[in-house]
Amino acid sequence: MAVVEVVKYDGEPDVFAWKYPNEELGTWTQLIVNESQEAVLYKGGQALDIFAAGRHTLSTANIPFLNKIVNLPFGGRSPFAAEVWYINKVHSLDIKWGTPTPIQLQDPKYHVFVPLRSFGQFGIQIGDSKQFLTKLVGTLPVLDKDNIINFFRGLYLTKAKDSISAYLIKENVSALEINAYLDELSDHLKEKITPTLDEYGIKLLNFYVNDINVPEDDPAVQKLKEALAKRAEMDIVGYSYVQERSFNTLEGAATNPGSGQSGLMGAGIGLGMGLGVGGAMGSQASGLAQSINVKEMKKCPGCNVDMDIAARFCPSCGFDTQKAAQTAAPQIQTEASEAHTDTTACSECGAEFSKKVKFCPGCGSAYNPCTFCGADMKKDATVCPECGKATPKHCPKCGASIENEKTKFCPECGESLVRKCGSCGAQIDGDPKFCPECGNKL
């Protein structure tokens, strides 16, 4: 092979480490290093020297160890095999991260289990080039932003989950109020992640938590929001939950036609509402409530009159409730058979289990539900075997499910989902084999 005369960077702009493809060098070779770059010369697995920005000539004058390794003849030009690595030292501030699955935790304020999702971005810079090459790059020909995200995904996801959970519990902050503390969480996460990145020669410039949210369709979240809305309503009106339940009980007793106290109770409640519910009304209502003979009642299916729960025939219309119950039994069985659709069969072992679980009780494989019918699908299946519908697409980076095909950015990690030409950058619609702008093969 010919000896290289000039060595310069010829990689992509978002690459952190790039290896010059030709290893046949020679003394007096010109090494060109751009601004915000460093070049590391390797010979026999040993880092000889680090070159800053500028033009450098490979000779024994600026590489003292080169003469011992290559054994250069006096006054001559000797070829030798060596590796040249370029390290990009720019500030990369747009590395996005996100939690692909929700964080399940118990709300420390309201004691309900809620799922949380979080995402944001962070910035890094290569601090120690030799340490970065030795511990992280290894034998890879190139290391870019995607490699960094994949290498440290487990680190920032684990730290994010632990820090968010610990912060909520320590500060007694509700999951619905956590977005007011994003600055504190961001600083805390940066302190947790920095020591690990320092071991690989990477400097963490910043770490931001942009948002923490809860799924709106989660039953626990919906109940919690309804309870908070009800409490706000009570605070505005000026009564407590216990008082509201007392009002409902007294009102139900007053309107019950089977109670002998209905007239008296109705008059008492009307008088109480006219004078204002106070301490006197509370004591009178307490005495009246104790005098009520509470009996278990049921509604007659024929005339809707209250009747004793143990009675078979209605005292008003003579309806036979036992016969009606026997007639309704087949309908109950039909509803029970319809409820059977809440289960599915495991795609691996065939065991039947509830759609509410996450793993098959028979073989332990993860439950991979169809988005449309809930049937368990194999991991690499693209079409549901039960309903025949295709599964939604997933983000190429974080694997998050993308239900809307028109979505242009991943809601988890922010990655662009629009297909672009690698040569001219034109947006590609559909699935053509050649770019409609420049004609290059995609």
Side-chain angles (χ1 to χ4, degrees):
M1 295 180 63
V3 176
V4 179
E5 299 290 342
V6 178
V7 177
K8 64 180 181 178
Y9 180 79
D10 192 22
E12 298 294 330
D14 59 346
V15 170
F16 290 104
W18 181 80
K19 177 183 176 182
Y20 188 75
N22 198 335
E23 298 181 6
E24 294 296 327
L25 307 177
T27 53
W28 316 117
T29 295
Q30 299 297 304
L31 176 64
I32 300 175
V33 183
N34 299 325
E35 290 290 342
S36 72
Q37 286 183 343
E38 280 186 351
V40 183
L41 183 65
Y42 273 82
K43 170 65 179 175
Q46 179 184 1
L48 300 184
D49 205 350
I50 298 178
F51 298 90
R55 179 184 289 268
H56 306 274
T57 301
L58 301 183
S59 65
T60 56
N62 55 18
I63 311 178
F65 298 103
L66 194 60
N67 189 29
K68 297 180 181 180
I69 296 177
V70 181
N71 294 324
L72 298 177
F74 179 79
R77 183 179 185 281
S78 176
F80 62 95
E83 298 178 2
V84 177
W85 280 90
Y86 281 92
I87 305 300
N88 191 353
K89 306 204 67 173
V90 297
H91 291 193
S92 184
L93 306 176
D94 59 344
I95 302 179
K96 296 179 175 59
W97 67 272
T99 54
T101 57
I103 308 171
Q104 296 290 341
L105 57 87
Q106 186 178 20
D107 191 295
K109 194 172 184 178
Y110 302 110
H111 309 291
V112 296
F113 286 93
V114 293
L116 294 181
R117 290 182 180 272
S118 62
F119 57 89
Q121 66 182 38
F122 60 93
I124 63 173
Q125 182 192 23
I126 308 304
D128 191 324
S129 300
K130 295 173 76 173
Q131 189 174 2
F132 178 70
L133 287 172
T134 303
K135 286 197 170 185
L136 194 61
V137 179
T139 59
L140 291 175
V142 64
L143 190 140
D144 56 13
K145 189 183 300 182
D146 293 338
N147 299 122
I148 291 291
I149 295 175
N150 293 331
F151 286 162
F152 296 103
R153 184 188 301 275
L155 170 66
Y156 61 71
L157 288 183
T158 301
K159 297 295 184 182
K161 291 181 179 180
D162 291 346
S163 298
I164 293 174
S165 303
Y167 192 88
L168 289 176
I169 296 173
K170 181 180 179 181
E171 301 296 334
N172 195 30
V173 177
S174 171
L176 302 180
E177 304 169 354
I178 189 61
N179 280 313
Y181 302 88
L182 294 183
D183 286 341
E184 292 85 344
L185 274 174
S186 298
D187 295 338
H188 182 67
L189 281 169
K190 182 182 178 183
E191 294 178 0
K192 291 287 186 180
I193 298 175
T194 296
T196 303
L197 293 182
D198 286 342
E199 296 179 3
Y200 296 94
I202 301 175
K203 180 181 179 181
L204 183 62
L205 302 176
N206 52 57
F207 192 95
Y208 296 118
V209 181
N210 296 132
D211 189 20
I212 300 177
N213 54 50
V214 294
E216 296 293 336
D217 56 349
D218 185 78
V221 177
Q222 291 177 350
K223 289 183 180 180
L224 178 57
K225 289 186 176 182
E226 290 174 0
L228 293 175
K230 186 66 176 177
R231 188 178 72 174
E233 178 185 351
M234 292 178 179
D235 292 340
I236 295 173
V237 175
Y239 61 89
S240 66
Y241 177 77
V242 176
Q243 290 174 329
E244 182 189 28
R245 295 298 296 165
S246 301
F247 297 156
N248 294 339
T249 302
L250 294 175
E251 184 178 3
T255 56
N256 187 356
S259 174
Q261 301 291 338
S262 59
L264 180 59
M265 287 296 295
I269 290 179
L271 179 61
M273 294 301 291
L275 297 177
V277 181
M281 179 57 196
S283 61
Q284 294 176 8
S286 175
L288 291 172
Q290 293 177 0
S291 66
I292 298 175
N293 182 18
V294 180
K295 297 175 65 177
E296 292 189 36
M297 309 294 288
K298 65 180 179 180
K299 293 287 186 180
C300 172
C303 61
N304 203 34
V305 171
D306 289 331
M307 56 183 292
D308 193 283
I309 192 171
R312 174 177 177 179
F313 297 93
C314 175
S316 178
C317 65
F319 187 85
D320 188 351
T321 58
Q322 183 176 351
K323 184 177 180 180
Q326 295 175 354
T327 305
Q331 177 66 23
I332 295 175
Q333 295 178 357
T334 302
E335 294 177 354
S337 63
E338 291 177 354
H340 185 68
T341 59
D342 291 339
T343 61
T344 184
C346 177
S347 60
E348 299 294 337
C349 67
E352 187 173 349
F353 57 86
S354 172
K355 294 179 180 179
K356 296 181 180 180
V357 303
K358 296 183 178 180
F359 299 91
C360 172
C363 61
S365 59
Y367 173 36
N368 183 25
C370 171
T371 307
F372 303 96
C373 69
D376 186 31
M377 300 173 57
K378 290 188 178 295
K379 186 177 181 181
D380 55 349
T382 57
V383 178
C384 176
E386 296 292 333
C387 63
K389 295 183 178 180
T391 57
K393 63 180 181 179
H394 294 79
C395 176
K397 283 198 173 182
C398 68
S401 177
I402 310 298
E403 297 182 359
N404 189 352
E405 295 183 355
K406 297 182 179 179
T407 302
K408 295 184 178 180
F409 296 91
C410 174
E412 296 298 331
C413 64
E415 176 66 16
S416 176
L417 303 177
V418 178
R419 187 182 179 192
K420 295 184 179 180
C421 173
S423 300
C424 66
Q427 180 174 334
I428 307 298
D429 296 326
D431 192 20
K433 295 183 178 180
F434 296 92
C435 175
E437 297 293 334
C438 63
N440 288 335
K441 186 176 182 180
L442 300 175

mmCIF file of all heavy atoms in Angstrom, residues 91 105 137 150 308 326 416:
data_model
loop_
_atom_site.group_PDB
_atom_site.id
_atom_site.type_symbol
_atom_site.label_atom_id
_atom_site.label_comp_id
_atom_site.label_asym_id
_atom_site.label_seq_id
_atom_site.Cartn_x
_atom_site.Cartn_y
_atom_site.Cartn_z
ATOM 1 N N HIS A 91 -19.272 20.737 22.189
ATOM 2 C CA HIS A 91 -20.336 20.557 23.177
ATOM 3 C C HIS A 91 -21.570 20.010 22.458
ATOM 4 O O HIS A 91 -22.190 20.699 21.655
ATOM 5 C CB HIS A 91 -20.679 21.881 23.853
ATOM 6 C CG HIS A 91 -19.593 22.371 24.749
ATOM 7 N ND1 HIS A 91 -19.766 23.386 25.648
ATOM 8 C CD2 HIS A 91 -18.304 21.959 24.896
ATOM 9 C CE1 HIS A 91 -18.629 23.602 26.297
ATOM 10 N NE2 HIS A 91 -17.733 22.743 25.853
ATOM 11 N N LEU A 105 -45.096 3.795 40.944
ATOM 12 C CA LEU A 105 -44.774 4.149 42.316
ATOM 13 C C LEU A 105 -46.031 4.578 43.058
ATOM 14 O O LEU A 105 -47.042 4.923 42.453
ATOM 15 C CB LEU A 105 -43.707 5.246 42.373
ATOM 16 C CG LEU A 105 -43.976 6.585 41.665
ATOM 17 C CD1 LEU A 105 -44.729 7.541 42.586
ATOM 18 C CD2 LEU A 105 -42.679 7.228 41.248
ATOM 19 N N VAL A 137 -14.428 3.200 23.433
ATOM 20 C CA VAL A 137 -14.429 2.978 21.982
ATOM 21 C C VAL A 137 -13.917 1.585 21.649
ATOM 22 O O VAL A 137 -14.538 0.829 20.911
ATOM 23 C CB VAL A 137 -13.592 4.052 21.268
ATOM 24 C CG1 VAL A 137 -13.584 3.798 19.769
ATOM 25 C CG2 VAL A 137 -14.147 5.438 21.572
ATOM 26 N N ASN A 150 -27.139 4.436 23.457
ATOM 27 C CA ASN A 150 -27.321 3.010 23.738
ATOM 28 C C ASN A 150 -26.445 2.544 24.905
ATOM 29 O O ASN A 150 -26.875 1.757 25.745
ATOM 30 C CB ASN A 150 -27.017 2.183 22.490
ATOM 31 C CG ASN A 150 -28.017 2.420 21.384
ATOM 32 O OD1 ASN A 150 -29.174 2.739 21.656
ATOM 33 N ND2 ASN A 150 -27.596 2.275 20.136
ATOM 34 N N ASP A 308 -89.753 -5.604 51.914
ATOM 35 C CA ASP A 308 -88.785 -6.293 52.758
ATOM 36 C C ASP A 308 -87.931 -7.225 51.916
ATOM 37 O O ASP A 308 -88.439 -7.905 51.010
ATOM 38 C CB ASP A 308 -89.505 -7.088 53.850
ATOM 39 C CG ASP A 308 -88.531 -7.561 54.926
ATOM 40 O OD1 ASP A 308 -87.810 -8.534 54.654
ATOM 41 O OD2 ASP A 308 -88.509 -6.946 56.004
ATOM 42 N N GLN A 326 -85.314 -16.429 38.948
ATOM 43 C CA GLN A 326 -85.023 -17.631 38.159
ATOM 44 C C GLN A 326 -84.970 -17.318 36.671
ATOM 45 O O GLN A 326 -84.182 -17.887 35.923
ATOM 46 C CB GLN A 326 -86.079 -18.699 38.441
ATOM 47 C CG GLN A 326 -86.056 -19.218 39.877
ATOM 48 C CD GLN A 326 -87.196 -20.187 40.158
ATOM 49 O OE1 GLN A 326 -88.074 -20.378 39.311
ATOM 50 N NE2 GLN A 326 -87.182 -20.788 41.347
ATOM 51 N N SER A 416 -36.888 12.284 15.458
ATOM 52 C CA SER A 416 -37.673 12.543 14.250
ATOM 53 C C SER A 416 -38.054 11.232 13.575
ATOM 54 O O SER A 416 -37.235 10.338 13.399
ATOM 55 C CB SER A 416 -36.874 13.425 13.287
ATOM 56 O OG SER A 416 -37.582 13.597 12.083
#
